[in-house]
Amino acid sequence: MTSAFLIVERGHNAGDRIELKEFPASIGRDPTNTIVIRDSESSRHHIRIKRRGRLFILEDLDSRNGTYINGDRVINSTLSNGDKILVGSTELTFVAPDAGINITTDLEQFDMQMDEGLKMPIDVDAPHRHHFKRAVRLDPSALANNMMSNGQAINDIFNYHSNLIVIKDLKETCHTLLKSLGKIVHNASRSAIFIWSHQQRQLIPYATKNYSRETPGFLLSRSAFEDALSRKQGILLSPEVKATQQGRNRVILPVMHSEDIIALVHIEIDSPKEDFAMHEL
């Protein structure tokens, strides 16, 4: 049976991903808990997570400061994928076992392969024992601030956006978007768009574009896709990532409609000497 996970978003050991192997699983300061957190604002025995088939239930254990899910105080509540749990001052994200994604099997048609070297779970923004980061999440606010400082980038994006909104055909829209990305991200080697079906939890490769003469094919990371989808946040994989292909920068960016992801954009740079410019992303 597939496991559920808790990701420590804020607090001691932020960035850790904790597998829930046994149920019920108790969380608190006391060392007898299934998961021990170092948080003076949490109770000795703060919450318990139970499993009933495919259902996960959180129970507050009469904690001193209470338990919050997505900002609402709860005593007993079911958990859904992506729920934010506040225990004391520690924030956790619940990742359901059915949160995995399916990528359609027609990857060869698009000259794509999975990077099986980058295993789940990925360690994000956490120093590795060899002192490099395996991946970096992109802060949307920081990206927006970087872009606002570049007047030419704003003007280019406005013009490309004006061209896109008048196109009615989805495939033409995707191809035009990728063509525009090649002009914005000047050192990009290739890019692809994956349409996201939330109901089927499936990523469908829909359009690709090569910007260089060399075409080694796309190198995809399932774990990076899952991270971008669950957090609705871009993720950068640099050539320092030990498990990825030497010298290949990759970035995965979500395409949003209202508050929902409708697609992911995957961009690659082959040269190990060239990085993504933050104002271009």
Side-chain angles (χ1 to χ4, degrees):
M1 185 175 292
T2 309
S3 299
F5 291 88
L6 291 173
I7 301 174
V8 183
E9 302 286 0
R10 186 174 72 246
H12 188 74
N13 292 332
D16 281 4
R17 185 173 178 131
I18 305 167
E19 183 178 4
L20 296 173
K21 299 179 180 180
E22 300 177 358
F23 296 93
S26 61
I27 301 175
R29 290 186 291 109
D30 194 279
T32 61
N33 284 289
T34 310
I35 299 170
V36 180
I37 58 175
R38 293 171 58 181
D39 184 347
S40 60
E41 297 184 28
S42 70
S43 297
R44 293 177 63 251
H45 299 278
H46 201 108
I47 63 171
R48 179 188 297 121
I49 297 177
K50 300 178 288 187
R51 183 169 189 169
R52 298 290 183 268
R54 296 177 63 86
L55 195 65
F56 293 85
I57 303 168
L58 180 147
E59 178 186 0
D60 181 85
L61 302 176
D62 296 323
S63 63
R64 182 177 72 254
N65 292 321
T67 303
Y68 296 80
I69 297 180
N70 302 324
D72 297 322
R73 186 163 184 169
V74 299
I75 297 176
N76 196 293
S77 176
T78 57
L79 288 171
S80 300
N81 182 59
D83 277 349
K84 304 290 187 183
I85 307 168
L86 188 63
V87 177
S89 61
T90 300
E91 184 179 73
L92 308 166
T93 295
F94 176 74
V95 181
D98 61 350
I101 58 174
N102 296 313
I103 302 177
T104 52
T105 55
D106 52 350
L107 294 180
E108 292 184 1
Q109 174 187 346
F110 293 90
D111 195 15
M112 297 176 175
Q113 61 175 317
M114 296 303 300
D115 178 10
E116 298 300 338
L118 193 58
K119 298 295 186 181
M120 285 285 287
I122 64 174
D123 299 325
V124 180
D125 282 339
H128 191 270
R129 62 178 180 174
H130 296 300
H131 307 293
F132 57 77
K133 295 180 180 180
R134 298 186 63 183
V136 175
R137 292 196 185 99
L138 302 176
D139 181 357
S141 299
L143 293 179
N145 289 335
N146 283 323
M147 185 191 72
M148 293 301 291
S149 64
N150 189 303
Q152 184 60 49
I154 295 175
N155 185 64
D156 290 343
I157 291 172
F158 177 80
N159 290 333
Y160 296 141
H161 179 262
S162 299
N163 293 332
L164 285 172
I165 60 177
V166 299
I167 302 174
K168 304 299 182 182
D169 180 72
L170 176 60
K171 187 169 287 292
E172 184 182 354
T173 299
C174 291
H175 282 294
T176 302
L177 174 59
L178 294 182
K179 184 177 180 181
S180 300
L181 283 175
K183 297 177 181 178
I184 297 173
V185 185
H186 296 92
N187 52 358
S189 301
R190 66 195 60 80
S191 63
I193 290 181
F194 293 80
I195 303 298
W196 171 240
S197 170
H198 178 75
Q199 184 174 5
Q200 298 179 338
R201 298 203 61 78
Q202 187 174 67
L203 275 175
I204 305 168
Y206 198 75
T208 63
K209 178 70 176 178
N210 282 295
Y211 309 115
S212 63
R213 294 182 180 179
E214 296 183 5
T215 55
F218 290 85
L219 195 63
L220 310 179
S221 168
R222 181 184 301 275
S223 52
F225 282 151
E226 291 180 341
D227 194 87
L229 287 167
S230 64
R231 295 175 178 274
K232 299 182 180 180
Q233 191 174 354
I235 186 168
L236 174 67
L237 304 177
S238 73
E240 292 181 334
V241 176
K242 186 177 181 180
T244 192
Q245 179 169 320
Q246 180 64 32
R248 188 178 295 197
N249 278 290
R250 294 176 289 169
V251 66
I252 296 95
L253 300 172
V255 179
M256 309 291 295
H257 176 67
S258 297
E259 296 184 357
D260 298 321
I261 292 181
I262 59 174
L264 291 180
V265 175
H266 173 99
I267 311 173
E268 298 185 355
I269 297 177
D270 288 337
S271 173
K273 298 180 180 180
E274 299 184 41
D275 297 321
F276 286 102
M278 288 301 103
H279 71 268
E280 294 178 343
L281 299 179

